[in-house]
Amino acid sequence: MQYRTPTCQLERANDGDSRQKSTPKLGTQCLHVAPAGQWISTTTGRTATDGHSWMTAVHWAADPKKKRYTATRTHGPRSMNVTTIVIAQELANLKVCRPGIAYLARKAKCSERTVEYHLGMLREAGLLAYRSKGGRVARGVDEASVYERIIPDAFDEALEIRTTGEGVQRRPVGIAESGRKLIGKLAKKAARKVRRPRRRTPVSGGARCTLMEGGTSGSSSTGRSIPPSETRLASGSTSHPTPKKATCGPRKLNKVGRRYQLAQELIANVPWLRRASVARISWIARHCADAGWTWREVQAAAEEHSPIDPADARRPSGLLAHRLKGVHLLYADPASRRLMVTAWEDSRAQEHFRHAGYDQAASPVAVTDTALEAMRTINAVLQPAAAAEDCTEHAEGPLCIETLTRAEVLEHRAFAAADPEYVTTMLLVLGDVDTRRLLTHRIVDQALTLLRLNAPTTANAF
């Protein structure tokens, strides 16, 4: 509607816009910086010369009466509060503004998520700018962001501060008379240390059991003259509302505990596993432990086909892993495991090996008639030659190796290489030193190794 008098006409009435928004006045600026402008290279403000001057700008932006800043997010705090001031004070005291989230949460006594909210508000208000943005770096270490304390252009315009220079390196050189009173109030606020207020009401909402409160209830206990009944006391009540559960007795093992228990039983009872590690055996026998096997069943499965000598078990864990490969699938039910243990205990080879003893060393192999006959033949051939020469100083037995020719030495070595028992005969006749001089170390060690490996078979043959 048009008025006849121009003085009664509303401003901009001819443009057809009925909203009639008024022009924002000085001191009601709305602070908002887009994420692209929150870097030191893109910010429009100037860097603060010291922490005190930056705190004046923080108090100006966080004034609850003016509401110069409102968060654009839909969650978290909507405006700056005391927590924002406390976090800003910690940032102002840093020589290099590189704070950690955990450090600020510990100093401000709040959660890390709250610290992230308020740092985001300081950046969005133009009071902080990134120099470098932190994140996950090599080896999984979180690196903190490096900030620069910024005084926004809205602060200089509101207080009519004159600056010189260009970009973020601008410096104040003066202030108008209208802004001196406000800058003085902000300087006093920046000089005071702000603390978060304590919680006035207890967390539980009820009366606390302290000396100041006088007890656990809000009513006075002096008005009661009749004592409570004995049946209502905790010591005299037959049925307590929260009865205690008996915790005595052995604890129930979980899956890992059962594995370690089986491994300890195997190492304690199986002779060839006594040098093994409990952790390794528990991992190797994990499938058997999960299926409920006993240590006797594991030993029977490992020694089912052939017994194991502790002297030959140089790596017990590897030997057990080789013997137990797939046995938990072969003997899945307890009945099959019982039959397997019974067959293992009744086997003649295992019975002989068990009666002979695991720790008993292999007895020397008896000298056969063939070896003795061969030795007598050689002595009969060598006796005339030995009698012809004087070997009284060198002979140490019935056979003098110093008088042997090269052909005879090669004949002895051929006999020893063909028959390992011939070596044991020479050891009994000549001794270890002369036997090795005559037959060489290689032939003697090879023969002894073959005899040791064939010891159970030879013992069973007798």
Side-chain angles (χ1 to χ4, degrees):
M1 178 179 180
Q2 299 295 328
Y3 290 87
R4 185 174 300 178
T5 307
T7 55
C8 298
Q9 182 68 35
L10 293 174
E11 185 180 1
R12 296 182 303 176
N14 296 326
D15 57 0
D17 188 4
S18 60
R19 290 176 295 178
Q20 300 296 327
K21 292 184 178 180
S22 59
T23 305
K25 298 181 181 179
L26 189 66
T28 61
Q29 293 88 344
C30 183
L31 300 175
H32 176 71
V33 178
Q38 297 176 9
W39 293 80
I40 189 63
S41 59
T42 58
T43 182
T44 58
R46 57 184 175 90
T47 57
T49 56
D50 57 324
H52 181 267
S53 62
W54 183 67
M55 284 303 301
T56 58
V58 172
H59 279 281
W60 174 81
D63 192 350
K65 297 181 180 180
K66 300 297 182 181
K67 296 182 180 179
R68 295 186 175 93
Y69 168 78
T70 302
T72 58
R73 70 172 71 89
T74 58
H75 57 279
R78 302 294 298 164
S79 60
M80 296 184 182
N81 50 30
V82 180
T83 306
T84 312
I85 303 298
V86 172
I87 294 175
Q89 288 176 162
E90 300 298 332
L91 297 178
N93 294 331
L94 297 176
K95 185 176 181 180
V96 178
C97 193
R98 188 182 180 182
I101 302 298
Y103 167 78
L104 293 178
R106 185 172 64 254
K107 299 293 287 186
K109 297 180 180 180
C110 59
S111 64
E112 295 185 2
R113 187 58 179 165
T114 302
V115 173
E116 294 176 358
Y117 279 138
H118 289 279
L119 287 178
M121 288 192 294
L122 290 174
R123 292 195 307 267
E124 196 173 26
L127 296 169
L128 282 180
Y130 283 117
R131 275 200 176 274
S132 64
K133 193 171 183 180
R136 188 66 57 88
V137 295
R139 297 182 181 178
V141 180
D142 290 336
E143 186 178 20
S145 300
V146 182
Y147 295 102
E148 189 68 38
R149 293 175 283 262
I150 301 296
I151 297 178
D153 290 340
F155 177 77
D156 295 339
E157 294 175 2
L159 276 70
E160 299 182 9
I161 297 176
R162 297 186 298 273
T163 59
T164 183
E166 296 181 358
V168 295
Q169 301 299 328
R170 300 192 306 272
R171 294 293 175 261
V173 295
I175 187 173
E177 291 293 335
S178 58
R180 292 182 180 274
K181 185 177 180 180
L182 180 58
I183 196 68
K185 293 180 180 180
L186 295 175
K188 290 181 180 180
K189 290 182 179 181
R192 293 194 300 265
K193 186 174 181 61
V194 179
R195 301 180 185 275
R196 296 186 67 188
R198 292 184 177 180
R199 187 187 298 270
R200 294 185 179 180
T201 58
V203 178
S204 59
R208 293 181 295 178
C209 182
T210 60
L211 295 177
M212 297 298 294
E213 293 290 343
T216 58
S217 61
S219 61
S220 175
S221 61
T222 57
R224 300 183 62 180
S225 58
I226 302 176
S229 175
E230 291 293 334
T231 59
R232 296 184 178 274
L233 296 178
S235 59
S237 178
T238 57
S239 60
H240 198 270
T242 55
K244 294 183 178 180
K245 296 181 179 179
T247 58
C248 58
R251 296 178 59 184
K252 186 177 180 180
L253 293 177
N254 56 4
K255 182 183 293 185
V256 178
R258 173 59 186 154
R259 293 175 180 177
Y260 273 81
Q261 184 185 36
L262 179 61
Q264 292 172 356
E265 292 175 354
L266 284 171
I267 293 175
N269 295 284
V270 181
W272 51 275
L273 286 177
R274 289 177 182 174
R275 296 179 299 168
S277 171
V278 177
R280 286 180 179 270
I281 299 301
S282 65
W283 173 254
I284 292 170
R286 64 188 185 279
H287 299 299
C288 299
D290 297 344
W293 287 42
T294 62
W295 69 268
R296 194 67 173 172
E297 293 173 349
V298 175
Q299 182 185 12
E303 301 179 1
E304 181 181 9
H305 300 289
S306 61
I308 301 175
D309 190 355
D312 296 335
R314 299 182 180 179
R315 189 166 176 263
S317 58
L319 181 59
L320 181 65
H322 175 70
R323 293 292 184 93
L324 292 184
K325 186 176 181 181
V327 295
H328 65 285
L329 301 176
L330 184 61
Y331 303 103
D333 55 321
S336 61
R337 293 199 295 270
R338 284 195 298 269
L339 294 176
M340 180 260 298
V341 173
T342 304
W344 170 72
E345 291 176 346
D346 294 341
S347 62
R348 294 185 61 184
Q350 177 60 31
E351 182 181 359
H352 174 78
F353 200 74
R354 185 169 61 252
H355 287 299
Y358 287 101
D359 299 328
Q360 182 179 358
S363 59
V365 180
V367 180
T368 60
D369 297 338
T370 305
L372 291 177
E373 185 66 25
M375 191 62 195
R376 284 194 294 268
T377 304
I378 294 175
N379 288 334
V381 173
L382 296 177
Q383 278 180 359
E389 298 180 5
D390 186 11
C391 56
T392 56
E393 297 180 357
H394 304 284
E396 298 180 358
L399 178 63
C400 182
I401 63 175
E402 302 293 341
T403 61
L404 297 178
T405 62
R406 180 173 178 79
E408 296 171 346
V409 171
L410 294 177
E411 186 180 1
H412 278 282
R413 292 178 181 177
F415 270 109
D419 188 4
E421 295 179 353
Y422 183 77
V423 177
T424 59
T425 305
M426 297 297 290
L427 288 173
L428 295 176
V429 175
L430 297 179
D432 184 71
V433 177
D434 288 342
T435 302
R436 292 181 179 273
R437 288 178 59 193
L438 176 62
L439 304 179
T440 70
H441 292 284
R442 182 182 63 82
I443 296 177
V444 173
D445 293 338
Q446 183 179 1
L448 293 178
T449 302
L450 291 175
L451 290 173
R452 187 174 68 252
L453 293 176
N454 298 327
T457 305
T458 307
N460 292 333
F462 289 102

Short mmCIF file of all heavy atoms in Angstrom, two decimals, residues 369-422:
data_model
loop_
_atom_site.label_atom_id
_atom_site.label_comp_id
_atom_site.label_asym_id
_atom_site.label_seq_id
_atom_site.Cartn_x
_atom_site.Cartn_y
_atom_site.Cartn_z
N ASP A 369 78.65 -114.45 15.00
CA ASP A 369 79.62 -115.51 14.71
C ASP A 369 80.37 -115.24 13.41
O ASP A 369 81.55 -115.59 13.27
CB ASP A 369 78.91 -116.86 14.63
CG ASP A 369 78.28 -117.25 15.95
OD1 ASP A 369 78.74 -116.71 16.98
OD2 ASP A 369 77.32 -118.05 15.95
N THR A 370 79.70 -114.63 12.45
CA THR A 370 80.37 -114.36 11.18
C THR A 370 81.52 -113.38 11.36
O THR A 370 82.62 -113.56 10.79
CB THR A 370 79.36 -113.80 10.18
OG1 THR A 370 78.25 -114.70 10.08
CG2 THR A 370 79.98 -113.60 8.81
N ALA A 371 81.30 -112.33 12.18
CA ALA A 371 82.36 -111.36 12.41
C ALA A 371 83.52 -111.99 13.17
O ALA A 371 84.70 -111.72 12.89
CB ALA A 371 81.81 -110.16 13.17
N LEU A 372 83.24 -112.82 14.17
CA LEU A 372 84.32 -113.45 14.92
C LEU A 372 85.12 -114.40 14.04
O LEU A 372 86.36 -114.48 14.13
CB LEU A 372 83.72 -114.22 16.11
CG LEU A 372 83.12 -113.35 17.23
CD1 LEU A 372 82.49 -114.23 18.30
CD2 LEU A 372 84.20 -112.46 17.84
N GLU A 373 84.45 -115.13 13.16
CA GLU A 373 85.15 -116.03 12.25
C GLU A 373 86.04 -115.27 11.29
O GLU A 373 87.18 -115.68 11.00
CB GLU A 373 84.13 -116.87 11.47
CG GLU A 373 84.74 -117.93 10.58
CD GLU A 373 85.44 -119.01 11.38
OE1 GLU A 373 85.05 -119.21 12.56
OE2 GLU A 373 86.36 -119.65 10.85
N ALA A 374 85.54 -114.13 10.80
CA ALA A 374 86.37 -113.31 9.91
C ALA A 374 87.59 -112.77 10.64
O ALA A 374 88.69 -112.69 10.09
CB ALA A 374 85.53 -112.19 9.34
N MET A 375 87.41 -112.41 11.92
CA MET A 375 88.53 -111.87 12.68
C MET A 375 89.58 -112.93 12.95
O MET A 375 90.79 -112.68 12.88
CB MET A 375 88.00 -111.29 14.00
CG MET A 375 89.04 -110.46 14.74
SD MET A 375 89.54 -109.04 13.76
CE MET A 375 91.03 -108.56 14.63
N ARG A 376 89.14 -114.15 13.25
CA ARG A 376 90.09 -115.23 13.48
C ARG A 376 90.87 -115.58 12.22
O ARG A 376 92.06 -115.87 12.26
CB ARG A 376 89.34 -116.47 13.99
CG ARG A 376 88.91 -116.35 15.46
CD ARG A 376 88.51 -117.72 16.01
NE ARG A 376 87.31 -118.21 15.34
CZ ARG A 376 86.08 -118.01 15.79
NH1 ARG A 376 85.88 -117.31 16.90
NH2 ARG A 376 85.03 -118.50 15.15
N THR A 377 90.21 -115.53 11.06
CA THR A 377 90.90 -115.81 9.79
C THR A 377 91.97 -114.77 9.52
O THR A 377 93.10 -115.10 9.11
CB THR A 377 89.88 -115.83 8.65
OG1 THR A 377 88.86 -116.80 8.94
CG2 THR A 377 90.55 -116.19 7.33
N ILE A 378 91.65 -113.52 9.77
CA ILE A 378 92.64 -112.45 9.52
C ILE A 378 93.81 -112.57 10.48
O ILE A 378 94.98 -112.39 10.11
CB ILE A 378 91.96 -111.08 9.64
CG1 ILE A 378 90.94 -110.92 8.51
CG2 ILE A 378 92.97 -109.95 9.60
CD1 ILE A 378 90.12 -109.66 8.61
N ASN A 379 93.55 -112.91 11.75
CA ASN A 379 94.64 -113.06 12.71
C ASN A 379 95.54 -114.23 12.35
O ASN A 379 96.77 -114.19 12.53
CB ASN A 379 94.06 -113.25 14.11
CG ASN A 379 93.46 -111.95 14.64
OD1 ASN A 379 93.87 -110.87 14.23
ND2 ASN A 379 92.51 -112.06 15.56
N ALA A 380 94.92 -115.31 11.83
CA ALA A 380 95.74 -116.47 11.44
C ALA A 380 96.65 -116.15 10.27
O ALA A 380 97.78 -116.63 10.17
CB ALA A 380 94.83 -117.66 11.07
N VAL A 381 96.19 -115.29 9.37
CA VAL A 381 97.02 -114.89 8.22
C VAL A 381 98.14 -113.96 8.66
O VAL A 381 99.27 -114.02 8.17
CB VAL A 381 96.15 -114.24 7.14
CG1 VAL A 381 97.01 -113.67 6.02
CG2 VAL A 381 95.17 -115.25 6.58
N LEU A 382 97.84 -113.10 9.64
CA LEU A 382 98.80 -112.08 10.03
C LEU A 382 99.78 -112.55 11.09
O LEU A 382 100.77 -111.88 11.36
CB LEU A 382 98.06 -110.84 10.53
CG LEU A 382 97.19 -110.10 9.50
CD1 LEU A 382 96.47 -108.94 10.17
CD2 LEU A 382 98.04 -109.62 8.34
N GLN A 383 99.54 -113.69 11.76
CA GLN A 383 100.43 -114.12 12.83
C GLN A 383 101.84 -114.46 12.35
O GLN A 383 102.82 -114.09 12.99
CB GLN A 383 99.82 -115.32 13.55
CG GLN A 383 98.78 -114.93 14.58
CD GLN A 383 98.17 -116.14 15.27
OE1 GLN A 383 98.54 -117.30 14.94
NE2 GLN A 383 97.28 -115.87 16.21
N PRO A 384 102.05 -115.17 11.16
CA PRO A 384 103.44 -115.43 10.72
C PRO A 384 104.22 -114.16 10.44
O PRO A 384 105.38 -114.04 10.79
CB PRO A 384 103.25 -116.27 9.46
CG PRO A 384 101.91 -116.90 9.63
CD PRO A 384 101.08 -115.90 10.34
N ALA A 385 103.56 -113.20 9.81
CA ALA A 385 104.26 -111.95 9.52
C ALA A 385 104.58 -111.18 10.78
O ALA A 385 105.63 -110.56 10.90
CB ALA A 385 103.41 -111.10 8.59
N ALA A 386 103.72 -111.25 11.77
CA ALA A 386 103.98 -110.54 13.00
C ALA A 386 105.10 -111.19 13.80
O ALA A 386 105.86 -110.53 14.50
CB ALA A 386 102.70 -110.49 13.85
N ALA A 387 105.22 -112.55 13.70
CA ALA A 387 106.28 -113.22 14.43
C ALA A 387 107.64 -112.98 13.79
O ALA A 387 108.67 -113.02 14.45
CB ALA A 387 106.02 -114.73 14.48
N ALA A 388 107.66 -112.77 12.44
CA ALA A 388 108.93 -112.56 11.76
C ALA A 388 109.55 -111.23 12.13
O ALA A 388 110.77 -111.08 12.14
CB ALA A 388 108.75 -112.67 10.26
N GLU A 389 108.77 -110.23 12.37
CA GLU A 389 109.30 -108.90 12.66
C GLU A 389 109.15 -108.62 14.13
O GLU A 389 108.24 -109.12 14.80
CB GLU A 389 108.57 -107.86 11.82
CG GLU A 389 108.76 -108.07 10.32
CD GLU A 389 108.03 -107.02 9.53
OE1 GLU A 389 107.47 -106.10 10.15
OE2 GLU A 389 107.99 -107.11 8.28
N ASP A 390 110.01 -107.77 14.65
CA ASP A 390 109.96 -107.41 16.07
C ASP A 390 109.07 -106.17 16.22
O ASP A 390 109.45 -105.08 15.81
CB ASP A 390 111.38 -107.10 16.57
CG ASP A 390 111.39 -106.86 18.07
OD1 ASP A 390 110.34 -107.13 18.71
OD2 ASP A 390 112.42 -106.39 18.59
N CYS A 391 107.92 -106.42 16.76
CA CYS A 391 107.00 -105.30 16.95
C CYS A 391 106.59 -105.21 18.41
O CYS A 391 105.45 -104.89 18.74
CB CYS A 391 105.77 -105.45 16.06
SG CYS A 391 104.87 -107.00 16.29
N THR A 392 107.52 -105.59 19.30
CA THR A 392 107.18 -105.59 20.72
C THR A 392 106.96 -104.18 21.26
O THR A 392 106.22 -103.99 22.22
CB THR A 392 108.33 -106.26 21.49
OG1 THR A 392 109.56 -105.58 21.20
CG2 THR A 392 108.44 -107.73 21.10
N GLU A 393 107.61 -103.18 20.67
CA GLU A 393 107.46 -101.82 21.17
C GLU A 393 106.17 -101.18 20.71
O GLU A 393 105.65 -100.28 21.36
CB GLU A 393 108.65 -100.96 20.72
CG GLU A 393 109.96 -101.45 21.28
CD GLU A 393 111.12 -100.58 20.81
OE1 GLU A 393 110.85 -99.65 20.00
OE2 GLU A 393 112.24 -100.81 21.23
N HIS A 394 105.64 -101.65 19.58
CA HIS A 394 104.46 -100.99 19.02
C HIS A 394 103.20 -101.79 19.23
O HIS A 394 102.11 -101.24 19.14
CB HIS A 394 104.64 -100.77 17.51
CG HIS A 394 105.88 -99.97 17.21
ND1 HIS A 394 105.96 -98.62 17.40
CD2 HIS A 394 107.09 -100.37 16.73
CE1 HIS A 394 107.16 -98.19 17.05
NE2 HIS A 394 107.87 -99.24 16.64
N ALA A 395 103.25 -103.09 19.43
CA ALA A 395 102.03 -103.89 19.51
C ALA A 395 101.31 -103.60 20.81
O ALA A 395 101.91 -103.58 21.87
CB ALA A 395 102.37 -105.39 19.41
N GLU A 396 100.04 -103.36 20.74
CA GLU A 396 99.24 -103.11 21.91
C GLU A 396 98.14 -104.15 22.06
O GLU A 396 97.26 -104.00 22.90
CB GLU A 396 98.60 -101.71 21.83
CG GLU A 396 99.62 -100.61 21.80
CD GLU A 396 98.98 -99.25 21.72
OE1 GLU A 396 97.73 -99.19 21.66
OE2 GLU A 396 99.69 -98.24 21.73
N GLY A 397 98.09 -105.23 21.23
CA GLY A 397 97.04 -106.25 21.30
C GLY A 397 97.41 -107.40 20.41
O GLY A 397 98.54 -107.53 19.92
N PRO A 398 96.46 -108.22 20.13
CA PRO A 398 96.76 -109.36 19.25
C PRO A 398 97.03 -108.95 17.81
O PRO A 398 97.56 -109.74 17.04
CB PRO A 398 95.49 -110.21 19.35
CG PRO A 398 94.42 -109.24 19.77
CD PRO A 398 95.10 -108.24 20.65
N LEU A 399 96.65 -107.75 17.41
CA LEU A 399 96.87 -107.29 16.05
C LEU A 399 97.70 -106.02 16.11
O LEU A 399 97.36 -105.06 16.80
CB LEU A 399 95.53 -107.00 15.36
CG LEU A 399 95.62 -106.45 13.94
CD1 LEU A 399 96.29 -107.47 13.02
CD2 LEU A 399 94.23 -106.09 13.43
N CYS A 400 98.83 -106.00 15.39
CA CYS A 400 99.72 -104.83 15.35
C CYS A 400 99.49 -104.12 14.02
O CYS A 400 99.83 -104.63 12.95
CB CYS A 400 101.19 -105.28 15.48
SG CYS A 400 102.36 -103.88 15.50
N ILE A 401 98.88 -102.93 14.08
CA ILE A 401 98.54 -102.22 12.86
C ILE A 401 99.75 -101.62 12.18
O ILE A 401 99.69 -101.24 11.00
CB ILE A 401 97.50 -101.12 13.15
CG1 ILE A 401 98.10 -100.08 14.11
CG2 ILE A 401 96.22 -101.71 13.72
CD1 ILE A 401 97.19 -98.91 14.34
N GLU A 402 100.87 -101.53 12.89
CA GLU A 402 102.07 -100.96 12.28
C GLU A 402 102.68 -101.91 11.25
O GLU A 402 103.41 -101.47 10.35
CB GLU A 402 103.10 -100.63 13.36
CG GLU A 402 102.60 -99.65 14.41
CD GLU A 402 102.35 -98.27 13.84
OE1 GLU A 402 102.90 -97.98 12.74
OE2 GLU A 402 101.60 -97.49 14.47
N THR A 403 102.42 -103.18 11.37
CA THR A 403 103.02 -104.18 10.47
C THR A 403 102.17 -104.48 9.26
O THR A 403 102.58 -105.29 8.40
CB THR A 403 103.27 -105.48 11.25
OG1 THR A 403 102.01 -105.97 11.73
CG2 THR A 403 104.20 -105.24 12.44
N LEU A 404 100.97 -103.88 9.19
CA LEU A 404 100.08 -104.17 8.07
C LEU A 404 100.57 -103.45 6.81
O LEU A 404 101.02 -102.29 6.86
CB LEU A 404 98.65 -103.73 8.39
CG LEU A 404 97.97 -104.45 9.57
CD1 LEU A 404 96.58 -103.86 9.80
CD2 LEU A 404 97.89 -105.95 9.30
N THR A 405 100.45 -104.16 5.67
CA THR A 405 100.76 -103.55 4.39
C THR A 405 99.56 -102.75 3.90
O THR A 405 98.49 -102.78 4.50
CB THR A 405 101.13 -104.64 3.37
OG1 THR A 405 99.98 -105.49 3.18
CG2 THR A 405 102.32 -105.47 3.85
N ARG A 406 99.78 -102.05 2.81
CA ARG A 406 98.70 -101.24 2.27
C ARG A 406 97.55 -102.11 1.78
O ARG A 406 96.36 -101.77 1.97
CB ARG A 406 99.21 -100.37 1.11
CG ARG A 406 98.13 -99.49 0.49
CD ARG A 406 98.72 -98.54 -0.53
NE ARG A 406 97.67 -97.74 -1.14
CZ ARG A 406 97.09 -96.67 -0.59
NH1 ARG A 406 97.47 -96.28 0.63
NH2 ARG A 406 96.15 -96.00 -1.22
N ALA A 407 97.85 -103.24 1.19
CA ALA A 407 96.79 -104.14 0.71
C ALA A 407 95.97 -104.67 1.87
O ALA A 407 94.74 -104.80 1.79
CB ALA A 407 97.40 -105.27 -0.10
N GLU A 408 96.62 -105.00 2.99
CA GLU A 408 95.90 -105.50 4.15
C GLU A 408 95.01 -104.42 4.78
O GLU A 408 93.89 -104.70 5.24
CB GLU A 408 96.89 -106.05 5.16
CG GLU A 408 97.67 -107.27 4.66
CD GLU A 408 98.79 -107.67 5.59
OE1 GLU A 408 99.13 -106.85 6.48
OE2 GLU A 408 99.33 -108.77 5.42
N VAL A 409 95.53 -103.19 4.80
CA VAL A 409 94.72 -102.09 5.35
C VAL A 409 93.47 -101.87 4.50
O VAL A 409 92.36 -101.70 5.02
CB VAL A 409 95.56 -100.79 5.43
CG1 VAL A 409 94.66 -99.60 5.77
CG2 VAL A 409 96.66 -100.95 6.46
N LEU A 410 93.62 -101.90 3.19
CA LEU A 410 92.47 -101.74 2.31
C LEU A 410 91.49 -102.90 2.47
O LEU A 410 90.27 -102.71 2.35
CB LEU A 410 92.94 -101.64 0.85
CG LEU A 410 93.77 -100.40 0.51
CD1 LEU A 410 94.23 -100.46 -0.95
CD2 LEU A 410 92.96 -99.13 0.76
N GLU A 411 92.02 -104.12 2.75
CA GLU A 411 91.15 -105.25 2.96
C GLU A 411 90.32 -105.07 4.23
O GLU A 411 89.12 -105.38 4.26
CB GLU A 411 91.99 -106.54 3.03
CG GLU A 411 91.14 -107.81 3.11
CD GLU A 411 92.00 -109.06 3.16
OE1 GLU A 411 93.25 -108.89 3.16
OE2 GLU A 411 91.45 -110.16 3.21
N HIS A 412 90.98 -104.58 5.31
CA HIS A 412 90.25 -104.31 6.54
C HIS A 412 89.16 -103.28 6.31
O HIS A 412 88.01 -103.40 6.82
CB HIS A 412 91.22 -103.82 7.63
CG HIS A 412 91.94 -104.93 8.32
ND1 HIS A 412 91.36 -105.71 9.29
CD2 HIS A 412 93.23 -105.38 8.18
CE1 HIS A 412 92.24 -106.59 9.74
NE2 HIS A 412 93.39 -106.42 9.06
N ARG A 413 89.44 -102.23 5.59
CA ARG A 413 88.46 -101.16 5.34
C ARG A 413 87.30 -101.67 4.47
O ARG A 413 86.16 -101.23 4.64
CB ARG A 413 89.15 -99.96 4.68
CG ARG A 413 90.12 -99.26 5.62
CD ARG A 413 90.83 -98.10 4.95
NE ARG A 413 91.77 -97.47 5.88
CZ ARG A 413 92.57 -96.45 5.55
NH1 ARG A 413 92.55 -95.97 4.30
NH2 ARG A 413 93.39 -95.94 6.45
N ALA A 414 87.61 -102.59 3.54
CA ALA A 414 86.53 -103.15 2.73
C ALA A 414 85.60 -103.99 3.57
O ALA A 414 84.37 -103.96 3.41
CB ALA A 414 87.13 -103.97 1.58
N PHE A 415 86.20 -104.79 4.51
CA PHE A 415 85.36 -105.58 5.42
C PHE A 415 84.46 -104.66 6.26
O PHE A 415 83.27 -104.93 6.45
CB PHE A 415 86.25 -106.43 6.34
CG PHE A 415 86.56 -107.79 5.78
CD1 PHE A 415 87.84 -108.11 5.33
CD2 PHE A 415 85.56 -108.76 5.71
CE1 PHE A 415 88.12 -109.36 4.81
CE2 PHE A 415 85.86 -110.02 5.19
CZ PHE A 415 87.14 -110.32 4.72
N ALA A 416 85.04 -103.56 6.78
CA ALA A 416 84.28 -102.65 7.65
C ALA A 416 83.18 -101.93 6.89
O ALA A 416 82.09 -101.69 7.42
CB ALA A 416 85.22 -101.63 8.29
N ALA A 417 83.45 -101.55 5.64
CA ALA A 417 82.43 -100.85 4.85
C ALA A 417 81.28 -101.78 4.49
O ALA A 417 80.12 -101.34 4.38
CB ALA A 417 83.04 -100.26 3.59
N ALA A 418 81.55 -103.10 4.34
CA ALA A 418 80.49 -104.03 3.97
C ALA A 418 79.69 -104.50 5.17
O ALA A 418 78.48 -104.74 5.07
CB ALA A 418 81.11 -105.25 3.25
N ASP A 419 80.33 -104.62 6.34
CA ASP A 419 79.64 -105.14 7.52
C ASP A 419 79.87 -104.19 8.69
O ASP A 419 81.00 -104.08 9.20
CB ASP A 419 80.19 -106.53 7.86
CG ASP A 419 79.39 -107.21 8.97
OD1 ASP A 419 78.37 -106.62 9.40
OD2 ASP A 419 79.79 -108.31 9.39
N PRO A 420 78.84 -103.42 9.15
CA PRO A 420 79.04 -102.51 10.29
C PRO A 420 79.40 -103.24 11.57
O PRO A 420 80.07 -102.66 12.45
CB PRO A 420 77.68 -101.82 10.42
CG PRO A 420 77.03 -101.96 9.08
CD PRO A 420 77.51 -103.27 8.56
N GLU A 421 78.99 -104.52 11.72
CA GLU A 421 79.32 -105.25 12.93
C GLU A 421 80.82 -105.56 13.01
O GLU A 421 81.35 -105.82 14.10
CB GLU A 421 78.51 -106.54 12.98
CG GLU A 421 77.00 -106.29 13.09
CD GLU A 421 76.21 -107.58 13.10
OE1 GLU A 421 76.85 -108.64 12.88
OE2 GLU A 421 75.00 -107.52 13.33
N TYR A 422 81.49 -105.56 11.87
CA TYR A 422 82.95 -105.76 11.88
C TYR A 422 83.64 -104.61 12.60
O TYR A 422 84.67 -104.79 13.24
CB TYR A 422 83.45 -105.87 10.44
CG TYR A 422 84.94 -106.14 10.32
CD1 TYR A 422 85.46 -107.42 10.55
CD2 TYR A 422 85.81 -105.12 9.98
CE1 TYR A 422 86.82 -107.65 10.45
CE2 TYR A 422 87.18 -105.34 9.87
CZ TYR A 422 87.68 -106.61 10.11
OH TYR A 422 89.01 -106.84 10.02
#
